[in-house]
Amino acid sequence: MFTSKETFKKRFLDKFERVYGKSFEDSTIQEQYATLGMLVREYASQDWIHTNERYRAESQKQVYYFSIEFLLGRLLGTNLMNLGIRDVCEAGLKELGISLSQIEEQEIDAGLGNGGLGRLAACFLDSLASMDYPGHGCGIRYKHGLFEQKIVNGYQVELPEQWLRNGNVWEVRKAGLAVEVKFGGHVEVSNSNGKMNFHHVNAETVSAVPHDMPVIGYENETVNTLRLWSAEPSPYRPDRDVMKYKQETEAISEFLYPDDTNVEGKILRLKQQYFLVSAGMQSILNSYLKTGQDIHDFHNHVAIHINDTHPVLAIPEFMRLLIDERNLSWEEAWHITTNTISYTNHTTLSEALEQWPISIFQNLLPRIFMVVEEINERFCMKLWKQYPNQWERIENMAIIAHDMVKMAHLAIVGSHSVNGVAQIHTDILKKREMKLFYEFYPEKFNNKTNGITHRRWLMKANPQLTDIINDRIGTEWIREPKQLEQLEKYACDPNFQDAVYEVKQVNKHHLAEKIRQHTGIVIDEQSIFDVQVKRLHAYKRQLLNILHIMHLYNRLSYEPNFTITPRTFIFGAKASPGYYYAKKIIKLINTLAEKVNNDPRTKDYLKVVFLENYSVSLAEEIIPATNVSEQISTASKEASGTGNMKFMMNGAITIGTMDGANVEIHELVGDDNMFTFGLSAQEVLAYQQRGGYNSFEYYHHDKRIHQVLEQLMNGFFSVTDSEFEHIYDSLLIQNDEYYVLRDFASYSDAQMKLSKMYENRSKWSQMSIMNIAKSGVFSSDRTIREYAENIWGVTSSAYVR
Ligand SMILES: *Cc1c(COP(=O)(O)O)cnc(C)c1O
């Protein structure tokens, strides 16, 4: 079908006419995108069919990755690349006078996630397919993904996101595979032949309709499946107001919750979680039973992974299906369930550990609650045997305590593997956050440091860097990213240094153009592009970055002999709509930008840019153009970070704390190729335990800090006096929970060192090359191989074939 540009052209024009019933001259670019998308999906469908046939024939163990978020971004570009048909399509389209890259920009990001956790799920799917693992995604087909952010007068404004506005060319709706999910009602218990039977009565039924999207592997003919569930009215609709029922049902898959740390105490959120796992588990069980294999062997043929605790109800739901619907005993069901399910923890922030009030849980999911109660009772009994009379320990470990259901406890008890997402994070889980569980189940705990797919984040996002890498070391690294290490020998090669520098400049030029178009700000393409893009959160400390910029601005304004290497600070961040503090930080960044960018004294040295609506596609434009990657979270708070890895792979130098995967980046590149600063995780934890931090001391004794904090309140910015009061108070009255002032001096020193270093172009390019060379470990291919081998026990069909 895509053997030459002529056949492609013919197929493309035929397809267009058949779909739209008009001549190609009258086509819109949107229709051209849709036509190409349909063509590509059809092209992949042969491989999709064959992959599924192969999995069935070889009865390979399958893995299902459950996640409440999949932050996929655009799919056309990666699909063309992975299918190996990008060049032929581009050439064919060109003859029709169409630019492929313009067509690609028509696609709206599939933004069904908030940030790192959702993007990780998307990178994992790419690695699973690209390494021939039989691994599939299971998620929710939200009608609206993460809100679209606009900046109005410096403030964030949220608009509903509309990714399905023009349809979705990648999905296949499978109404015939719909399953029913039940909410509410109550449970009647009866007894027959000594066996208890549970009948869920008066429940409200919702139809879960799967929409399958192909997940196309990189040049390997493997196409796995991402199954997204949509909530629709059931034929078994209740006997009540039909319109109201329809609306309440559809609400379940209407919106993604725009919060990735604090749990919204919303019944709808719990409904979404159960909807996902009930639909997913029923469908997995149905297809397993269709193969005719014994239910008792299930865990030898299927692995199920839960991405954080949002899908943890997969555990009691699976128990329910096995006991109530397949008549297994509790012990049999428990054996199968715990050997099937594995769990990843993503945070140690206590406010982010999910728990639900019994009253909500029990009313919404009465049968599931009974199962959880029994899991809890049996677990507490085991604890009692191991720790007789240790009431407090048992209370702290119980799944249900103080009228709350603790989702992380359920996840640990009901799974066979618990992993953290970076070495330091896993250590903290073992030593502190989950210490009691680690003592009880040491064998369950393990680390899997996160990764990113180098196919999207290097090959697709930065084709020119990819080309010069290929020129030097060939293409072996594409299959085996660790091979990027071969670049090390070119780190001091002036020709390669120049090539890397030139590519960076070209990417910076493109970003500068984009910034000019979108914000009107003209930036110096020779300046250091210093970037902090990630969700807005106090622990990520965008504020530390801002205070330092204010300080630089002060010095440039008031010290006649002070100059710096010109710097452009670029921010991108969405704040959760209900997160007041985070929204104030956005306003502060924009207020600072307004002031700095228009001051004739500093404008040649300093620019501040806020790019609205940070998303995967925007990240793909920003990251290849970045010189400095800001990874400055309070040590111990960032579980891993994956933004840090994307930047490193594109040759940016990290300025960062010893937190999350920064620690592992530092281990690889060393002090020579990274700027570290700030408190260690141990020091932060010691302050938290023993006190001893007083932010007022830093305010009083450090003139720089004193000055910038006063400027938040004294009319320095033309805003109302109280605009930034909350930020000021968080630093002083509330004693600076995230140690911003504590780390200020150390951060400033590191920044100064960095700035001087950039002046030495050859040295900087050398550092940049070292970062690229060492980034292969952070390919999600490495991460997925570790999950496959050490947790799921699945093998790559590349070896089976
Ligand atoms: C990678 C990514 C993130 C995660 O960034 P961190 O710096 O690790 O928090 C968030 N959002 C998008 C769009 C991303 O691509």
Side-chain angles (χ1 to χ4, degrees):
M1 187 198 282
F2 290 84
T3 45
S4 72
K5 62 184 174 188
E6 280 70 34
T7 49
F8 166 76
K9 241 165 57 180
K10 185 170 175 331
R11 290 297 306 254
F12 182 76
L13 292 173
D14 282 357
K15 182 83 193 169
F16 177 84
E17 286 176 3
R18 269 181 290 132
V19 172
Y20 292 101
K22 62 180 178 182
S23 108
F24 187 70
E25 281 77 65
D26 301 328
S27 65
T28 66
I29 187 158
Q30 178 53 48
E31 290 163 348
Q32 294 164 6
Y33 159 74
T35 305
L36 182 58
M38 286 183 265
L39 218 49
V40 171
R41 204 201 72 213
E42 282 171 21
Y43 179 75
S45 63
Q46 281 307 309
D47 286 346
W48 205 359
I49 294 167
H50 292 150
T51 302
N52 282 320
E53 284 173 353
R54 199 173 78 223
Y55 290 158
R56 259 195 301 278
E58 290 160 358
S59 63
Q60 272 189 71
K61 188 170 187 180
Q62 305 286 304
V63 48
Y64 297 91
Y65 193 84
F66 277 62
S67 181
I68 203 87
E69 303 187 3
F70 284 91
L71 189 48
L72 301 168
R74 289 181 180 139
L75 297 172
L76 178 58
T78 25
N79 285 346
L80 287 172
M81 178 177 76
N82 287 7
L83 289 166
I85 56 174
R86 197 190 154 87
D87 290 347
V88 75
C89 292
E90 188 164 27
L93 289 168
K94 195 168 172 200
E95 293 196 349
L96 295 170
I98 300 169
S99 137
L100 175 55
S101 57
Q102 270 177 24
I103 287 206
E104 283 176 66
E105 283 177 22
Q106 293 305 305
E107 181 169 4
I108 306 175
D109 272 42
L112 309 183
N114 277 292
L117 176 148
R119 183 54 230 176
L120 184 77
C123 284
F124 279 5
L125 292 182
D126 185 72
S127 286
L128 281 164
S130 295
M131 293 196 295
D132 284 303
Y133 283 112
H136 314 281
C138 190
I140 295 176
R141 182 183 180 270
Y142 302 103
K143 191 169 162 198
H144 304 284
L146 185 60
F147 67 85
E148 189 183 325
Q149 180 193 54
K150 287 256 178 279
I151 300 298
V152 178
N153 190 25
Y155 297 102
Q156 167 174 300
V157 173
E158 302 103 27
L159 304 174
E161 189 280 344
Q162 305 256 29
W163 72 296
L164 295 171
R165 190 169 49 221
N166 305 319
N168 175 6
V169 293
W170 306 113
E171 70 185 11
V172 184
R173 181 184 162 88
K174 301 206 170 139
L177 296 180
V179 296
E180 306 291 311
V181 178
K182 291 176 177 176
F183 295 100
H186 63 273
V187 178
E188 283 175 358
V189 186
S190 65
N191 203 318
S192 65
N193 306 327
K195 189 180 182 302
M196 304 251 268
N197 293 304
F198 301 91
H199 302 278
H200 192 177
V201 297
N202 288 329
E204 190 150 298
T205 304
V206 166
S207 258
V209 181
H211 292 68
D212 286 357
M213 294 170 76
V215 181
I216 299 170
Y218 180 75
E219 294 187 350
N220 66 352
E221 295 171 25
T222 292
V223 178
N224 289 336
T225 302
L226 169 58
R227 176 161 285 181
L228 300 178
W229 296 92
S230 157
E232 299 180 13
S234 157
Y236 313 100
R237 73 172 58 92
D239 198 11
R240 67 180 177 96
D241 184 339
V242 172
M243 282 315 290
K244 191 152 178 269
Y245 164 69
K246 182 171 182 293
Q247 190 210 328
E248 284 174 11
T249 297
E250 288 169 353
I252 295 172
S253 56
E254 184 100 353
F255 286 100
L256 166 76
Y257 268 84
D259 196 313
D260 59 350
T261 46
N262 301 298
V263 174
E264 300 265 336
K266 295 277 163 59
I267 296 173
L268 186 56
R269 173 79 176 203
L270 192 59
K271 258 190 171 174
Q272 288 185 330
Q273 296 185 355
Y274 182 66
F275 172 77
L276 164 63
V277 299
S278 180
M281 293 307 303
Q282 288 184 62
S283 115
I284 293 166
L285 191 54
N286 288 345
S287 27
Y288 178 77
L289 292 170
K290 251 198 251 160
T291 66
Q293 296 173 102
D294 186 347
I295 187 69
H296 295 90
D297 287 334
F298 185 88
H299 52 285
N300 298 319
H301 298 279
V302 177
I304 289 172
H305 200 86
I306 56 175
N307 193 24
D308 214 319
T309 55
H310 320 121
V312 74
L313 297 181
I315 293 164
E317 172 66 0
F318 196 27
M319 291 295 287
R320 180 189 74 81
L321 290 168
L322 294 175
I323 295 169
D324 296 2
E325 301 196 359
R326 317 256 26 121
N327 286 313
L328 266 64
S329 71
W330 180 277
E331 287 75 14
E332 289 172 315
W334 186 245
H335 179 77
I336 297 167
T337 300
T338 51
N339 281 290
T340 299
I341 291 178
S342 48
Y343 154 62
T344 297
N345 173 283
H346 282 273
T347 184
T348 57
L349 298 181
S350 53
E351 68 270 27
L353 289 177
E354 270 195 293
Q355 40 180 344
W356 291 94
I358 287 178
S359 53
I360 291 178
F361 196 118
Q362 190 169 22
N363 276 324
L364 189 66
L365 308 168
R367 176 61 185 136
I368 295 300
F369 183 72
M370 291 172 74
V371 175
V372 173
E373 270 188 312
E374 178 139 6
I375 295 173
N376 183 49
E377 272 164 36
R378 287 169 183 251
F379 174 58
C380 289
M381 239 138 62
K382 269 172 70 179
L383 290 177
W384 183 255
K385 269 195 201 133
Q386 174 116 350
Y387 309 113
N389 297 315
Q390 296 188 35
W391 291 101
E392 199 180 315
R393 179 186 284 259
I394 294 170
E395 184 182 324
N396 287 332
M397 294 177 78
I399 297 166
I400 303 174
H402 307 288
D403 296 326
M404 301 295 271
V405 182
K406 312 223 167 138
M407 305 298 245
H409 297 191
L410 178 57
I412 300 168
V413 174
S415 64
H416 63 90
S417 168
V418 178
N419 74 280
V421 290
Q423 196 57 61
I424 187 177
H425 169 58
T426 301
D427 290 344
I428 292 172
L429 287 181
K430 287 182 183 176
K431 283 195 201 117
R432 299 177 46 90
E433 243 59 42
M434 295 180 167
K435 182 165 182 285
L436 299 180
F437 285 96
Y438 178 58
E439 283 167 9
F440 189 66
Y441 295 125
E443 72 290 347
K444 286 194 186 185
F445 284 75
N446 64 92
N447 177 249
K448 298 286 170 281
T449 299
N450 281 168
I452 54 165
T453 167
H454 58 288
R455 287 166 292 273
R456 178 179 290 262
W457 295 107
L458 178 49
M459 296 162 67
K460 174 170 175 287
N462 203 342
Q464 306 189 64
L465 182 57
T466 305
D467 283 346
I468 63 167
I469 293 171
N470 292 345
D471 285 347
R472 289 305 187 290
I473 63 168
T475 55
E476 207 185 326
W477 64 274
I478 293 173
R479 288 264 161 238
E480 210 183 309
K482 193 92 189 345
Q483 294 294 329
L484 283 169
E485 268 185 353
Q486 292 184 42
L487 288 173
E488 236 182 289
K489 58 177 179 282
Y490 298 98
C492 296
D493 172 350
N495 291 325
F496 192 56
Q497 290 180 352
D498 282 348
V500 168
Y501 181 87
E502 291 305 331
V503 167
K504 187 64 82 179
Q505 282 310 120
V506 170
N507 292 330
K508 285 168 77 173
H509 173 70
H510 288 307
L511 183 60
E513 261 310 293
K514 166 140 193 147
I515 288 172
R516 195 183 55 74
Q517 281 165 15
H518 284 254
T519 67
I521 302 168
V522 177
I523 60 181
D524 174 2
E525 291 174 18
Q526 301 303 319
S527 67
I528 304 173
F529 282 23
D530 181 316
V531 177
Q532 189 172 20
V533 286
K534 47 183 74 246
R535 283 300 289 259
L536 205 319
H537 202 285
Y539 84 81
K540 292 180 182 279
R541 297 201 296 193
Q542 280 91 355
L543 182 56
L544 178 58
N545 192 345
I546 298 166
L547 295 183
H548 173 253
I549 299 169
M550 289 173 68
H551 168 61
L552 281 183
Y553 174 76
N554 288 336
R555 291 196 70 181
L556 285 168
S557 316
Y558 305 117
E559 290 178 34
N561 296 322
F562 179 75
T563 59
I564 55 167
T565 318
R567 193 96 76 107
T568 303
F569 290 97
I570 298 166
F571 291 88
K574 289 181 182 177
S576 188
Y579 192 174
Y580 181 79
Y581 170 88
K583 291 178 137 182
K584 283 291 186 191
I585 297 284
I586 289 178
K587 173 66 175 170
L588 178 55
I589 297 169
N590 286 303
T591 306
L592 177 63
E594 182 77 25
K595 176 137 188 124
V596 166
N597 298 343
N598 296 311
D599 189 326
R601 291 172 301 178
T602 60
K603 70 175 181 25
D604 291 340
Y605 297 99
L606 211 53
K607 284 275 156 65
V608 179
V609 176
F610 187 96
L611 282 173
E612 63 188 8
N613 204 40
Y614 183 56
S615 58
V616 170
S617 289
L618 189 53
E620 287 173 43
E621 293 185 72
I622 294 173
I623 293 169
T626 298
N627 298 122
V628 176
S629 159
E630 298 272 353
Q631 306 301 336
I632 59 178
S633 54
T634 310
S636 81
K637 304 290 183 189
E638 187 76 89
S640 163
T642 49
N644 46 4
M645 302 168 184
K646 299 169 196 164
F647 284 106
M648 175 192 190
M649 198 174 270
N650 283 276
I653 312 302
T654 305
I655 180 166
T657 47
M658 286 298 218
D659 199 19
N662 296 354
V663 176
E664 286 155 78
I665 293 177
H666 180 253
E667 226 166 75
L668 288 163
V669 303
D671 281 331
D672 290 346
N673 299 298
M674 177 175 177
F675 299 92
T676 59
F677 71 94
L679 293 172
S680 68
Q682 278 196 334
E683 289 168 324
V684 168
L685 296 171
Y687 270 141
Q688 283 175 351
Q689 273 176 339
R690 296 194 275 279
Y693 177 57
N694 182 355
S695 65
F696 264 101
E697 284 173 21
Y698 292 83
Y699 169 76
H700 286 305
H701 295 134
D702 189 325
K703 286 203 185 76
R704 302 168 295 181
I705 292 175
H706 195 278
Q707 183 177 24
V708 296
L709 288 206
E710 287 316 291
Q711 285 170 336
L712 290 178
M713 304 290 283
N714 67 7
F716 171 76
F717 294 120
S718 358
V719 291
T720 53
D721 285 353
S722 60
E723 182 72 82
F724 301 125
E725 189 176 11
H726 191 80
I727 295 172
Y728 183 88
D729 287 353
S730 77
L731 291 172
L732 295 176
I733 315 284
Q734 291 162 59
N735 200 29
D736 185 16
E737 194 184 340
Y738 294 98
Y739 307 95
V740 174
L741 305 189
R742 178 69 180 77
D743 279 349
F744 181 88
S746 163
Y747 180 59
S748 295
D749 292 348
Q751 286 286 14
M752 192 62 79
K753 223 171 102 188
L754 176 162
S755 175
K756 295 232 166 67
M757 198 74 99
Y758 191 78
E759 305 270 283
N760 184 343
R761 177 170 147 179
S762 156
K763 183 78 185 70
W764 189 272
S765 296
Q766 184 189 331
M767 293 167 67
S768 186
I769 295 165
M770 285 306 291
N771 273 271
I772 301 166
K774 295 291 188 179
S775 70
V777 195
F778 296 114
S779 167
S780 45
D781 289 4
R782 186 268 310 149
T783 316
I784 282 297
R785 191 174 293 115
E786 291 176 2
Y787 275 89
E789 289 175 0
N790 307 327
I791 299 180
W792 302 327
V794 296
T795 45
S796 159
S797 41
Y799 304 114
V800 176
R801 269 186 283 167

